[in-house]
Amino acid sequence: MILKDVIENVDAVKPNAFTNEQKTRWISEVEGRIQSEIFLFAPAQVIAYEWATDMNTELLAAPPHDRIYGEYLTAMIDFNNGEYNRYNNTVQVFNADFMEFMRWFAKHYRPADKIEDI
């Protein structure tokens, strides 16, 4: 899934006033966790996205694990809107799915392998 698709999908089901730039920063947080916690990138290797230049970039988690992006984005919208009960529910779903992705990746790939081998 590409960055733009995540934002468009979330905006369609959860209208919000946040800019695409802010939502891109939140998605970059998830990508940073994937890069550092799952793929074991060194801190200097972790990349972050900018909306204007990276909106068509393919994100790292492929289906069915790509749902984590929308879940995290929805959670951040809820949190920043002060909807803490909704945030708590959504972030729990995100955390469960993120851990599922982490377990799946560790089972199918050796995390120390190069990303090009994935």
Side-chain angles (χ1 to χ4, degrees), residues 7-8 14 16-17 25 31 33 43 59-63 65 72 74 76 80 82 93 95 100 103-104 106:
I7 291 174
E8 288 175 353
K14 188 163 192 70
N16 61 84
R25 283 190 289 278
E31 287 286 85
R33 286 190 62 188
L59 301 174
L60 296 172
H65 306 288
Y72 188 77
T74 300
M76 291 298 96
N80 285 280
V93 172
N95 285 332
E100 178 185 319
R103 283 189 299 274
W104 174 86

Side-chain angles (χ1 to χ4, degrees), residues 38 96 98-108:
I38 299 176
F98 188 86
M99 291 303 296
E100 178 185 319
F101 177 45
M102 187 179 285
R103 283 189 299 274
W104 174 86
F105 188 85
K107 181 179 177 182
H108 291 88

Side-chain angles (χ1 to χ4, degrees), residues 13-15 71-72 74-94:
V13 297
K14 188 163 192 70
E71 292 166 356
Y72 188 77
T74 300
M76 291 298 96
I77 290 168
D78 289 340
F79 181 81
N80 285 280
N81 280 335
E83 298 173 349
Y84 301 118
N85 288 332
R86 288 183 184 193
Y87 164 77
N88 286 331
N89 292 334
T90 308
V91 83
Q92 285 180 358
V93 172
F94 164 77

Side-chain angles (χ1 to χ4, degrees), residues 30 34 61 64-73 94 97-98 101:
V30 177
I34 290 170
H65 306 288
D66 59 348
R67 65 183 175 265
I68 62 176
Y69 299 111
E71 292 166 356
Y72 188 77
L73 193 52
F94 164 77
D97 286 342
F98 188 86
F101 177 45

